[in-house]
């Protein structure tokens, strides 16, 4: 412990809970987000998952951070027992912090007293390990451990601090100042004292703290934290980190943020940095910086993003591949990268209110975030390939899996950044539903379609309450009813997804009109008890990739509303076909009509003779191939693949 303890920073009066109570609350922008206290999800696709997160996933993670030794590490630190007995990677502390953040959002959403008590107990254990100057890490700085900040490339100290600060912000916004908040403030105070010299060139190898410091500045009104975030963003891309085999782009240390044209290197690092750069750019009025991230995101979406919204094509370096390098079977597509994409696009959406950002958020939520958690709430995907060639082995409930074992969901991983990241994302999911904006701050923008009740105040202080009713994405009908509205009504805008050509909006008088896809509708004024309905076409559709995506040339995918569908071996077997999805071809030119609540396609499987050489002359007409059997086969939503156990699966199906 330090001989002299500096004064701990205290939360200012402005840090008492104020609306909106959300993970990202920019100082300025086209939209103000809704808070967890303003949105109540009521069943449906996401409401049921949010309840499962509360009832099952959070307790599951609480068990595992104990079982793995990650929470006990803090007690070892407090009693001076480290380094002996410490367990986990150098960033294991961060999993406890993300769990705390998710618990804080959940308590703020539900007022769950039992969960609040568990949060306080866990936070107390963390606080006991904090050193007098605010430093808090269980892998560095004690006798027998590496010195503080001796391995900034790989040590993850600043990364862990960032997640602790975000947990503190969640607690501050949902509850007010308490022990967890004071711990986070002391860490941030320490970081500013240690790294705040403008001539200092040090930064962490894994971006994360940038967005955390910016958000803490927003929550407390203290400009020091925003300035430190700005310094970290500006230091990036100037070669200050050490050389590694993956090259400096792995750390995004090859090109300054404002000069880059595309996201590259380690996908999660790149996307966390992008989110932090948007935060800094928005709050400092640096339009060039925000525009740079927007430009990089648009290029990345056009060239380096999977159909599911997933990002990261390479297992080596957990990285983006080159342009159009999107192999479905070797996709890394880390769940954390999907979450980081949601974070970045949500920040861009709040900045300019453009519907395209919400389109990306929706695609990623339904096809990456939803896939990453099993229907039991206690099993997870770390990576999310679009083609599984072999049937995997289901792990035992108490088995810890390697991070890239994607053939089945696992109960826990030796590196479990994804489960805890999913917890905090799903707990705060309601904040993504919409926002308040418009020139006069009196419009309600609704970006996502979930059964919910929204109660908020417009910028003039008037209260508004909306009820959303839908069974989306199974059906495209979304009805919005004003439960409460100002005397002059509440102006409501709805996002029309980019895939929804032919959508119609039915106003309160019953008139129907076509609305263009990929945009927000014009404002519709609703008075109390009036309704409007958006009708979206969610029938199945075929999708082909840009021909430059060599890996899936000659193949098609099936989409249905926001869902990507997949062909899975249990359904081939049920249709009497070979279970090997690699042998399947799509026969019909279009998906068959939906029946029994599922989408069906006509598929032929071909048996190929064994050969000593896997190639043949172009003069060979292929008659050696068996004709194959044709049958109708049901597709599954990609997010549900492997729910029935180990299987093979493919999103992209060869055209016969």
């Amino acid at each position: 412990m330090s001989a002299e303890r500096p004064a701990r920073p205290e939360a200012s009066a402005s840090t008492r809970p104020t609306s909106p109570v959300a993970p990202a609350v920019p100082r300025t922008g086209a939209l103000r987000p809704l808070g967890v206290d303003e949105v109540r999800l009521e069943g449906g696709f996401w409401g049921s998952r949010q309840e499962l997160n509360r009832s099952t996933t959070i307790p599951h993670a609480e068990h595992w951070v104990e079982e793995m030794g990650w929470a006990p590490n803090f007690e070892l630190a407090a009693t001076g027992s480290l380094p002996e007995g410490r367990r986990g990677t150098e960033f294991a502390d961060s999993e406890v912090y993300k769990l705390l953040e998710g618990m804080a959002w959940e308590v703020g959403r539900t007022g769950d007293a039992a969960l609040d008590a568990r949060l306080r107990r866990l936070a107390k254990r963390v606080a006991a390990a904090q050193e007098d100057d605010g430093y808090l890490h269980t892998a560095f700085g004690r006798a027998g451990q590496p010195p503080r900040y001796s391995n900034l490339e790989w040590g993850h100290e600043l990364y862990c601090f960032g997640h602790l600060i975000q947990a503190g912000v969640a607690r501050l916004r949902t509850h007010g100042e308490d022990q967890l908040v004071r711990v986070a403030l002391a860490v941030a105070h320490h970081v500013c004292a240690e790294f705040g010299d403008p001539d200092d060139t040090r930064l962490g190898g894994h971006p994360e703290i940038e967005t955390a410091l910016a958000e803490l500045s927003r929550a407390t009104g203290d400009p020091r934290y925003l300035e430190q975030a700005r310094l970290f963003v500006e230091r990036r891309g100037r070669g200050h980190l050490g050389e590694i085999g993956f090259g400096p782009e792995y750390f995004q240390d090859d090109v300054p943020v404002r000069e880059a044209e595309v996201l590259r290197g380690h996908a999660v690092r790149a996307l966390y940095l992008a989110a932090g750069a948007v935060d800094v750019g928005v709050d400092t009025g640096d339009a060039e910086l925000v525009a740079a991230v927007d430009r990089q995101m648009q290029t990345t979406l056009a060239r380096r993003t999977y159909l599911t919204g997933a990002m990261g094509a390479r297992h080596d370096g957990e990285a983006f591949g080159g342009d159009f390098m999107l192999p479905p079977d070797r996709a890394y597509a880390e769940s954390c990268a999907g979450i980081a994409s949601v974070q970045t696009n949500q920040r861009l959406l709040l900045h300019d209110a453009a519907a395209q950002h919400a389109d990306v958020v929706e695609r990623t939520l339904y096809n990456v975030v939803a896939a990453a958690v099993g229907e039991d709430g206690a099993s997870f995907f770390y990576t999310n390939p679009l083609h599984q060639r072999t049937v995997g082995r289901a792990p035992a409930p108490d088995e810890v899996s390697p991070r890239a074992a994607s053939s089945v969901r696992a109960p826990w991983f030796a590196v479990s950044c994804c489960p805890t990241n999913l917890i905090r994302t799903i707990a705060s999911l309601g904040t993504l539903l919409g926002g308040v904006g418009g020139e006069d701050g009196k419009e309600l923008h609704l970006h996502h379609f979930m059964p919910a009740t929204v109660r908020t105040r417009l910028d003039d202080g008037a209260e508004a309450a909306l009820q959303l009713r839908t069974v989306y994405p199974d059906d495209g009908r979304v009805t919005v009813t004003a439960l409460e509205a100002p005397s002059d009504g509440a102006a409501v805008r709805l996002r029309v997804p980019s895939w929804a050509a032919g959508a119609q909006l039915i106003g309160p008088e019953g008139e129907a009109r076509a609305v263009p896809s990929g945009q927000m509708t014009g404002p519709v004024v609703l008075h109390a008890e009036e309704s409007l309905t958006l009708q979206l076409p969610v029938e199945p559709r075929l999708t082909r990739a840009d021909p430059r995506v060599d890996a899936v040339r000659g193949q098609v995918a099936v989409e249905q509303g926001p869902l990507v569908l997949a062909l899975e071996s249990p359904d081939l077997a049920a249709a009497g076909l070979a279970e090997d999805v690699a042998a399947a071809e799509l026969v019909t030119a279009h998906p068959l009509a939906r029946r029994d609540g599922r989408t069906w396609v006509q598929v032929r499987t071909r048996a190929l003779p064994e050969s000593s050489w896997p190639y043949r002359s172009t003069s060979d007409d292929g008659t050696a191939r068996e004709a194959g059997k044709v049958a109708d086969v049901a597709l599954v939503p990609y997010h549900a693949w492997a729910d029935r156990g180990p299987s093979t699966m493919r999103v992209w199906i060869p055209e016969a």
Side-chain angles (χ1 to χ4, degrees), residues 104-124:
W105 292 125
E106 191 59 47
V107 170
R109 184 180 76 84
T110 63
D112 187 327
L115 182 58
D116 183 70
R118 303 198 317 260
L119 183 159
R120 291 173 185 269
R121 288 195 295 269
L122 184 55
K124 183 178 181 179

Side-chain angles (χ1 to χ4, degrees), residues 90-91 137 139-140 151-160 205:
E90 66 279 358
F91 49 85
H137 203 286
F140 293 90
N151 187 6
L152 281 168
E153 288 84 1
W154 301 105
H156 289 77
E157 286 157 286
L158 293 175
Y159 169 85
C160 289

Side-chain angles (χ1 to χ4, degrees), residues 371-520:
V373 185
E375 60 183 356
D376 59 357
S379 57
F380 312 91
F381 279 141
Y382 193 108
T383 61
N384 296 277
L386 282 71
H387 186 178
Q388 180 64 36
R389 291 179 176 272
T390 58
V391 176
R393 178 186 63 84
D398 60 350
E399 181 179 342
V400 178
S401 295
R403 69 177 83 180
S406 297
S407 57
V408 287
R409 294 181 184 86
W412 205 248
F413 301 96
V415 175
S416 275
C417 51
C418 296
T420 52
N421 219 354
L422 289 158
I423 284 171
R424 66 176 185 148
T425 301
I426 294 172
S428 60
L429 190 71
T431 66
L432 303 177
L433 189 143
V436 177
E439 291 184 3
D440 55 3
K442 295 174 64 177
E443 292 181 353
L444 273 164
H445 290 220
L446 299 177
H447 301 121
H448 302 289
F449 311 122
M450 314 170 187
T453 297
V454 177
R455 294 183 180 275
T456 189
R457 289 183 181 272
L458 306 179
D459 284 2
D460 62 359
E463 295 184 357
L466 301 178
Q467 182 185 70
L468 282 75
R469 288 294 175 259
T470 183
V471 292
Y472 188 83
D474 292 333
D475 184 86
R477 186 177 180 86
V478 182
T479 298
V480 180
T481 302
L483 302 178
E484 299 176 26
S487 58
D488 57 349
V492 178
R493 290 178 181 262
L494 302 177
R495 178 180 61 91
V496 183
S498 57
W499 49 261
Q504 286 196 320
L505 187 69
I506 304 169
E509 301 299 324
E511 72 284 3
R513 60 184 175 89
V515 286
S517 61
Q519 300 179 30
M520 302 298 294

Side-chain angles (χ1 to χ4, degrees), residues 39-93:
V39 178
R40 184 176 72 245
L41 301 187
E42 297 164 332
F45 188 97
W46 287 112
S48 61
R49 283 166 169 78
Q50 193 172 63
E51 175 56 26
L52 186 67
N53 188 57
R54 184 198 66 79
S55 65
T56 302
T57 312
I58 289 176
H60 180 82
E62 289 177 273
H63 162 77
W64 275 105
V65 299
E66 300 293 342
E67 180 73 17
M68 300 294 288
W70 302 341
N73 284 341
F74 294 97
E75 292 163 349
L76 296 175
T79 59
S81 302
L82 293 177
E84 289 79 13
R86 187 187 184 279
R87 296 171 62 191
T89 64
E90 66 279 358
F91 49 85
D93 294 1

